Amino acid sequence: MADEKTPETAPETAAPAAAPAPAPEATPAAAEAAPADAPKQGRGRGRGGNNDNRGGGRGRGGRDGNRRGGRQEEDDGIIEKLVHINRVSKTVKGGKRFGFAALVVVGDGQGRVGFGKGKAREVPEAITKATAAARKKMIRVALKEGRTLHHDGNGRFGAGKVTVRTAPAGTGIIAGGPMRAVFESLGVADVVTKSVGSSNPYNMIRATFDALTDQTSPKSVAQRRGKKVADLLGRGGQVTEAEAEADAAAIVE
């Protein structure tokens, strides 16, 4: 009988030895915590990662940051004036697609000026493109005493016609919107202008630049003709030689 009891007690003693394992109870808790953390990681890799990439350069935040940084780097005394923004729309399947065209005039206020246009889906990008194009096509215009033009001139482009005239000190800039932006960027303080015909800002600015490219200074004319500036300002004997030399010395290109 003792032999029969021993095999019965042996399995009973072996059972409690295998039982003390709270580890299987802890594993379900860890399993429950794991799926709770898993979706967070998935979200972070999915939407969060896209947001980070979007902010880095593809999204609006990245473009704005680059644009502002570029303007700070290009802050070299150049005057930028926005003349006109045109919005166009294209009807496509599902709605309308809008685009913008910007016209910008830039200048250093000391005799250099240029204009450019840019097109993009957003206004800031169009302005940036137009500014970059204007900086590449700047021209130099000779100014009298650094405040006005040397002589009168006419310009024409398409149906737009403009007339520019030199003016005495204190006159100010008498010009329309697009033309005023050109002379303010150029650094002209006294000028009288008149626009006839087309009021399209593109035509007006191109006609104005046509008139400015025809501007010449006494110094350039004297070099071309092989004479002195005082000889050109002598006016056929109406002015003395000393006065002509004084006027020539007072000319500021």
Side-chain angles (χ1 to χ4, degrees):
M1 298 296 292
D3 295 337
E4 295 177 356
K5 291 180 181 180
T6 48
E8 293 178 359
T9 54
E12 292 178 359
T13 53
E25 297 179 356
T27 51
E32 293 177 357
D37 297 336
K40 292 181 180 179
Q41 295 177 358
R43 293 176 184 174
R45 293 178 182 175
R47 297 181 182 177
N50 293 337
N51 291 336
D52 295 338
N53 295 335
R54 188 179 300 114
R58 295 182 179 179
R60 297 180 180 176
R63 286 196 292 264
D64 293 340
N66 295 337
R67 190 181 304 113
R68 292 174 184 174
R71 286 188 177 181
Q72 291 177 0
E73 294 176 359
E74 296 176 357
D75 188 9
D76 49 1
I78 299 296
I79 303 172
E80 302 177 2
K81 291 188 176 294
L82 178 62
V83 178
H84 182 69
I85 292 181
N86 184 32
R87 190 189 76 170
V88 297
S89 63
K90 179 182 179 181
T91 303
V92 296
K93 182 179 180 180
K96 293 184 178 180
R97 184 177 299 171
F98 293 98
F100 299 91
L103 178 62
V104 176
V105 174
V106 301
D108 60 354
Q110 299 178 358
R112 296 181 63 215
V113 67
F115 77 98
K117 61 180 181 178
K119 298 179 181 180
R121 294 288 180 84
E122 298 179 1
V123 175
E125 291 183 4
I127 295 175
T128 302
K129 290 181 179 180
T131 303
R135 286 173 177 266
K136 295 180 181 179
K137 298 186 297 184
M138 297 181 68
I139 63 173
R140 179 168 292 280
V141 181
L143 300 181
K144 180 180 179 181
E145 301 175 359
R147 62 170 184 84
T148 187
L149 303 177
H150 281 285
H151 57 84
D152 301 347
N154 297 320
R156 180 172 181 174
F157 184 86
K161 302 177 184 178
V162 298
T163 301
V164 295
R165 300 184 63 182
T166 182
T171 303
I173 300 177
I174 302 178
M179 298 178 66
R180 174 177 289 274
V182 173
F183 289 109
E184 288 179 352
S185 303
L186 181 61
V188 174
D190 304 299
V191 68
V192 178
T193 66
K194 179 65 177 178
S195 175
V196 180
S198 175
S199 60
N200 187 327
Y202 290 88
N203 291 345
M204 291 179 64
I205 286 184
R206 287 190 174 97
T208 303
F209 271 78
D210 183 41
L212 293 177
T213 52
D214 293 338
Q215 289 288 317
T216 57
S217 63
K219 184 178 180 179
S220 62
V221 175
Q223 291 177 352
R224 185 170 62 250
R225 297 177 61 182
K227 294 185 177 183
K228 297 181 179 179
V229 178
D231 298 338
L232 299 179
L233 301 179
R235 302 173 187 174
Q238 297 180 2
V239 180
T240 62
E241 184 177 354
E243 293 178 351
E245 292 180 355
D247 294 341
I251 293 178
V252 179
E253 294 296 334

